[in-house]
Amino acid sequence: MAVCCWTTDGQCISLFPAACCNEMIQLLDAPRNQVIDILMNPKLKEKTRESLTAVLPITGIVLLISMILVPVELGAAVMFLTGAVMLVIGMGFFQLGAEMAMTPLGEGIGAQISKTGNIIFSVVLGFVMGLIITIAEPDLQVLAEQVPSVPNMTLIITVAAGVGIFLALSIVRILFRINLSAMLVVLYIFMIGFSFFIPQDFMAIAFDSGGVTTGPMTVPFIMAMGVGLASVRGDKNAADDSFGLVALSSIGPILAVMVLGFFFHPSETEYSSAAIANVNTTRDVVRVFGQSIPRYAKEVLVSLLPVAGVFVLFQLICRRYKSRQIRRVIIGFLYTYVGLVLFLCGVNVGFAPVGSVLGRALASESWKWLLIPLGMIIGYYIVKAEPAIQVLNHQVESVTNGAVSASLMNRCLQAGVAVSVGLAMLRILTGIPVSCIVIPGYIAALLLSRMVPPMFVGIAFDSGGVASGPMTTTFLLPLSIGACEALGGNVMTDAFGVVALVALTPLIAVQLMGLRYQWKMKQADALLEKSAVFLDGADEIVEFEEDDGDEE
């Protein structure tokens, strides 16, 4: 029997797959108390508390609107509150699962790519991982259902291929140390130029696709892969290059869906809004959610199986993880599965229908212009409820050694998303084309990228994709569609695009934070220089006095 010899960094030098298989099988015989200890992870309580803090404000705002401005039936309110509870629990499980499973897997694959030094292998692996992880993205499933004129699988495969190609390109950038800002400028200029040749009815869908692909499944994995890729290098620019994979991976879907615009026409079909289930008793509420859970359980299982398969293959080939680490990753996958099922069921069944009703009712009243400030308030608080946002913020705090705290990132992203939702509501009321906002916004973001520290460029463009997650797709999008329908606008051109705007404004907000950070660092350096000059002068005085004493 082959024996695994573990090195200090947790890798096995055995080349016999049989040893790996035996070890994986032996996990089933692990002591029961160890498994229970992992399942009762004390961090779960901490993550659930964070989720409650994130979801509570948006829940309170929606309830206040329903009580003061737009009366909502009691059954709908109960469905909304039940969805909120599932949202809190689901986010808690998911965040812990991503920390235990997706992050180690992404870092491991990234580090292994750097160690091999084989460019062809790295590119192929990056493309395959981008393809698999995007097909597993729940947000993409939601968007595919919103565009009935394009077959769901056609849209999903096209977007996944775009992510795969640009994730491979991101790996090449890190390996060859290509400047991220320069690459983004070239790619966005090409994307903006290409947008003038596609049907305008497809513009909003194309830009929305770039936002939804970087959701709760892709972000933890892709960001961790970037950290793993850069960690092996160990040079002073490694931390800067650990960001940017999400940013580049968001461009691929936009270009890929733009190509689809030459073959499909979403304006030919109508969007069907989600309807609130008719419930009269608490038993009805349990029945509705109970009937919906199996559907999402199946969808999430199908999405996670390819990722779990990648983990098994990676372990069999590379032998990177010890037995205890493998158990932790397996439990992490379980947490991720339970969390995503609860989260998606709560959002789609409880949150989305209420968003559509609120949007329709607010736009029908004489105070329809209240949509702009109310949308900004909702946008400000809803970003904290995005599960991938919390992953990004803690990743930024860790990589920057606390120089950019998670709370500071939260406030910055909240301000950016508030502006974007306000702009989305303004578009619905006035009919401004999305290109009139998105194109100047990207130009401004690219100009800022030439002035801020490289790390903030990667963080900013990553945060744009992360901010537009399932909460945006399943609450803000129905809110926009409901308002657009009430005003008699074109849903495909006026309502769609809110995801694109949510993905845009953080690019500018985070880079402005980077400019402020850079200015503060320059001030600190200047103060240190003055202090050094003063201390040098003091040392000279002390030496003179001591010499004088010796002469006496």
Side-chain angles (χ1 to χ4, degrees):
M1 179 183 295
V3 179
C4 296
C5 300
W6 297 98
T7 59
T8 55
D9 61 349
Q11 298 188 48
C12 175
I13 60 175
S14 171
L15 300 178
F16 297 96
C20 301
C21 295
N22 290 335
E23 182 183 301
M24 296 286 283
I25 292 172
Q26 289 171 3
L27 291 174
L28 298 176
D29 299 327
R32 183 176 300 178
N33 61 340
Q34 292 184 15
V35 177
I36 293 176
D37 288 342
I38 297 175
L39 287 171
M40 299 300 292
N41 195 310
K43 281 193 174 183
L44 182 59
K45 190 179 295 184
E46 175 190 340
K47 299 295 183 183
T48 305
R49 191 181 300 114
E50 291 178 3
S51 303
L52 180 63
T53 305
V55 176
L56 199 58
I58 183 64
T59 305
I61 290 169
V62 172
L63 290 177
L64 280 175
I65 293 174
S66 66
M67 288 187 291
I68 298 173
L69 297 177
V70 181
V72 175
E73 293 182 359
L74 187 60
V78 173
M79 292 288 292
F80 178 79
L81 288 174
T82 305
V85 172
M86 295 180 68
L87 202 65
V88 170
I89 299 173
M91 279 184 63
F93 272 90
F94 170 78
Q95 289 184 63
L96 183 56
E99 182 180 301
M100 295 173 65
M102 305 301 288
T103 300
L105 177 59
E107 287 183 0
I109 291 178
Q112 196 66 34
I113 288 174
S114 292
K115 288 180 179 179
T116 58
N118 190 321
I119 302 300
I120 296 177
F121 170 77
S122 302
V123 169
V124 172
L125 182 60
F127 173 78
V128 172
M129 289 309 306
L131 193 72
I132 291 174
I133 204 74
T134 305
I135 292 175
E137 181 55 61
D139 290 0
L140 183 56
Q141 311 289 337
V142 175
L143 181 69
E145 293 178 0
Q146 314 291 348
V147 190
S149 65
V150 181
N152 285 10
M153 192 49 62
T154 301
L155 183 64
I156 290 171
I157 294 298
T158 302
V159 170
V163 173
I165 292 170
F166 274 75
L167 183 58
L169 184 64
S170 303
I171 292 172
V172 173
R173 182 194 75 81
I174 292 178
L175 294 178
F176 286 94
R177 307 182 186 185
I178 301 173
N179 183 268
L180 175 62
S181 178
M183 181 174 283
L184 287 172
V185 168
V186 172
L187 291 173
Y188 272 102
I189 288 175
F190 176 77
M191 184 181 70
I192 292 170
F194 189 53
S195 68
F196 290 103
F197 297 96
I198 68 168
Q200 291 302 302
D201 289 340
F202 218 82
M203 178 77 74
I205 301 296
F207 279 102
D208 279 356
S209 67
V212 300
T213 50
T214 48
M217 281 294 294
T218 53
V219 168
F221 180 85
I222 292 178
M223 287 200 65
M225 181 183 283
V227 173
L229 279 164
S231 64
V232 176
R233 282 173 30 189
D235 58 277
K236 63 178 182 179
N237 296 321
D240 297 347
D241 284 343
S242 65
F243 296 100
L245 267 74
V246 176
L248 291 174
S249 299
S250 300
I251 300 175
I254 299 176
L255 292 173
V257 176
M258 281 182 176
V259 174
L260 279 184
F262 293 106
F263 305 99
F264 297 95
H265 303 284
S267 58
E268 295 174 359
T269 56
E270 295 183 358
Y271 171 81
S272 56
S273 301
I276 298 179
N278 185 19
V279 294
N280 297 314
T281 64
T282 53
R283 181 177 295 179
D284 293 335
V285 175
V286 174
R287 174 181 53 81
V288 171
F289 281 98
Q291 291 174 348
S292 302
I293 284 179
R295 173 194 169 192
Y296 294 105
K298 181 181 178 181
E299 289 181 1
V300 175
L301 181 62
V302 172
S303 299
L304 274 178
L305 278 178
V307 184
V310 168
F311 166 69
V312 173
L313 286 175
F314 180 69
Q315 175 63 12
L316 290 176
I317 295 172
C318 300
R319 304 286 295 162
R320 182 176 180 84
Y321 306 105
K322 295 182 181 180
S323 299
R324 191 171 183 276
Q325 292 172 315
I326 295 174
R327 284 197 295 271
R328 179 179 172 85
V329 171
I330 291 173
I331 298 300
F333 272 113
L334 179 62
Y335 275 134
T336 303
Y337 176 74
V338 173
L340 278 178
V341 171
L342 293 175
F343 180 87
L344 291 174
C345 184
V347 166
N348 286 287
V349 179
F351 261 66
V354 173
S356 182
V357 169
L358 288 179
R360 192 177 297 109
L362 287 169
S364 302
E365 300 292 342
S366 57
W367 56 70
K368 59 185 179 183
W369 286 97
L370 279 177
L371 275 170
I372 296 176
L374 287 176
M376 293 183 71
I377 294 173
I378 292 173
Y380 183 83
Y381 286 103
I382 205 170
V383 70
K384 285 189 69 177
E386 291 286 5
I389 281 288
Q390 308 309 320
V391 176
L392 170 69
N393 291 346
H394 289 296
Q395 190 92 46
V396 170
E397 185 175 51
S398 174
V399 172
T400 60
N401 295 320
V404 181
S405 66
S407 59
L408 180 60
M409 278 291 296
N410 253 327
R411 290 195 297 272
C412 185
L413 293 178
Q414 284 179 296
V417 174
V419 173
S420 64
V421 179
L423 289 173
M425 296 299 114
L426 179 65
R427 284 188 61 241
I428 293 171
L429 293 170
T430 60
I432 299 173
V434 67
S435 57
C436 293
I437 300 175
V438 169
I439 292 177
Y442 278 123
I443 292 173
L446 293 175
L447 291 174
L448 283 171
S449 71
R450 309 301 295 176
M451 297 183 283
V452 301
M455 180 183 292
F456 282 91
V457 177
I459 293 173
F461 281 83
D462 280 357
S463 66
V466 175
S468 50
M471 287 296 291
T472 302
T473 311
T474 55
F475 186 82
L476 288 179
L477 185 55
L479 179 74
S480 302
I481 289 172
C484 187
E485 287 177 336
L487 293 170
N490 186 333
V491 170
M492 289 299 173
T493 57
D494 298 339
F496 281 92
V498 61
V499 180
L501 292 176
V502 169
L504 168 65
T505 48
L507 274 63
I508 299 173
V510 173
Q511 289 190 99
L512 290 176
M513 180 179 70
L515 285 177
R516 181 171 175 267
Y517 171 84
Q518 189 177 42
W519 177 71
K520 281 193 169 185
M521 291 299 294
K522 287 181 178 179
Q523 278 192 324
D525 290 341
L527 185 62
L528 284 174
E529 287 180 4
K530 289 181 179 179
S531 300
V533 170
F534 174 78
L535 290 174
D536 287 343
D539 289 341
E540 290 176 4
I541 294 173
V542 171
E543 290 176 4
F544 174 78
E545 290 178 350
E546 289 177 353
D547 291 340
D548 187 51
D550 291 339
E551 289 177 0
E552 290 178 359

